[in-house]
Amino acid sequence: MTDTHADADLDMDLSAAGDDWRPTPHGRFLARVLSQHDFARGKDVLELGAGVANHTILLLRQEPRSLVATEILPELLDSTRANVERNCGTDQPIEYRVADWLSTEGEFDLVVTNPPFCKSGKQNRRYFIDSLILDTHKRLRPGGELVFIQSSMADVQKTLARLDENGFDARVVDTSEGPFRDYYFQDEAFMAESKRVPDGFKIKDGVHIETLSVIHAKLRPFTPHEGAHIPAERGDS
Ligand SMILES: C[S@@+](CC[C@H](N)C(=O)[O-])C[C@H]1O[C@@H](n2cnc3c(N)ncnc32)[C@H](O)[C@@H]1O
């Protein structure tokens, strides 16, 4: 199956095929926030899980120094590339890379992503968010930045506390409320987990509503403690 649509607000033509992730309200809201800021200008950027390039295109319009766009499978990355080339041409400072989340090379100024959550497929549904919090520093230069979106159902307060514990100054850039996706109700475990999250969602006039938050986090300078197990010169402390 191939479907094509024009995102009029953001002035882009996107096509999706097969198992491509079709942008949901999460992706659309992150796109809106990215279009209102200039996070990528002049920077070396890593975008994780680029999907149909709905964010890649916006990031390229900000004229980064370089951009690495990743996906977990080559065929998903083919769609990223096709959409970038249709909207931005082929003369762009972009590299397309198949990679499993942060298991990739390089040092960057900015990491951007809409991480899998409800359908993360992991025992810890927050796995991709927690992985960002624990390991993005390995891919970031000192003072590097992380921009991502998450639902209130993934516990924003937990995320902000863990970012702080792991050396990031973090803030919520913007929020947006919206109704649940239909597939939330089909996953009983997800619904049960969400009920246990403080302020995970609300019900207004019988409609279940989640809040989406775009989070911007900046890595604080850090020197490993004297006698740390891993020598500082390894650079991945
Ligand atoms: C929530 S979707 C976001 C897609 C797109 N950026 C958007 O916002 O519409 C998550 C994306 O991450 C990709 N993905 C899933 N697991 C991954 C992994 N281990 N490493 C890299 N990408 C992964 C999926 O294929 C999917 O395109």
Side-chain angles (χ1 to χ4, degrees):
M1 185 188 86
T2 302
D3 46 77
T4 307
H5 74 275
D7 196 323
D9 277 359
L10 299 168
D11 190 23
M12 60 177 74
D13 279 313
L14 299 176
S15 70
D19 290 333
D20 286 336
W21 183 263
R22 274 71 173 171
T24 66
H26 297 64
R28 285 192 217 107
F29 182 55
L30 178 57
R32 178 142 47 96
V33 173
L34 288 175
S35 71
Q36 291 165 350
H37 294 77
D38 216 17
F39 292 122
R41 185 163 302 279
K43 293 183 180 156
D44 294 318
V45 181
L46 172 64
E47 185 194 1
L48 302 173
V52 294
N54 45 331
H55 303 137
T56 323
I57 292 164
L58 294 172
L59 294 168
L60 286 171
R61 287 179 184 161
Q62 292 173 16
E63 301 183 354
R65 182 164 44 215
S66 69
L67 195 158
V68 173
T70 75
E71 260 299 342
I72 186 68
L73 294 171
E75 56 268 33
L76 300 178
L77 205 51
D78 287 344
S79 294
T80 311
R81 182 195 301 268
N83 281 309
V84 166
E85 292 186 353
R86 185 179 324 103
N87 287 274
C88 306
T90 52
D91 188 18
Q92 292 289 339
I94 185 168
E95 178 189 338
Y96 303 93
R97 205 183 273 179
V98 175
D100 183 359
W101 210 232
L102 285 156
S103 301
T104 191
E105 294 181 345
E107 277 203 319
F108 302 87
D109 306 301
L110 174 69
V111 173
V112 177
T113 187
N114 171 11
F117 171 56
C118 174
K119 291 178 177 288
S120 73
K122 303 286 187 183
Q123 291 208 40
N124 169 14
R125 207 177 292 262
R126 282 179 49 97
Y127 173 90
F128 291 97
I129 297 170
D130 286 333
S131 169
L132 286 177
I133 295 168
L134 285 170
D135 284 334
T136 304
H137 72 99
K138 294 179 182 175
R139 302 276 64 85
L140 284 178
R141 299 194 172 106
E145 297 164 65
L146 168 62
V147 174
F148 65 103
I149 187 163
Q150 76 162 75
S151 168
S152 49
M153 299 163 85
D155 199 336
V156 174
Q157 291 314 314
K158 183 179 278 187
T159 294
L160 293 174
R162 288 184 177 174
L163 280 165
D164 181 49
E165 283 168 11
N166 285 278
F168 286 94
D169 289 325
R171 69 187 174 102
V172 174
V173 179
D174 207 349
T175 60
S176 172
E177 290 186 352
F180 279 18
R181 316 298 302 156
D182 288 343
Y183 59 78
Y184 293 178
F185 296 105
Q186 290 156 14
D187 185 336
E188 286 178 21
F190 179 59
M191 291 299 293
E193 286 166 33
S194 299
K195 284 178 187 158
R196 292 195 290 273
V197 174
D199 301 318
F201 63 89
K202 59 188 173 190
I203 303 175
K204 206 169 160 186
D205 301 327
V207 179
H208 287 64
I209 293 176
E210 66 179 325
T211 301
L212 307 179
S213 295
V214 173
I215 295 168
H216 175 262
K218 193 173 166 73
L219 193 58
R220 292 191 290 266
F222 174 70
T223 305
H225 315 292
E226 189 71 24
H229 291 286
I230 299 171
E233 55 270 22
R234 277 256 324 253
D236 60 358
S237 56

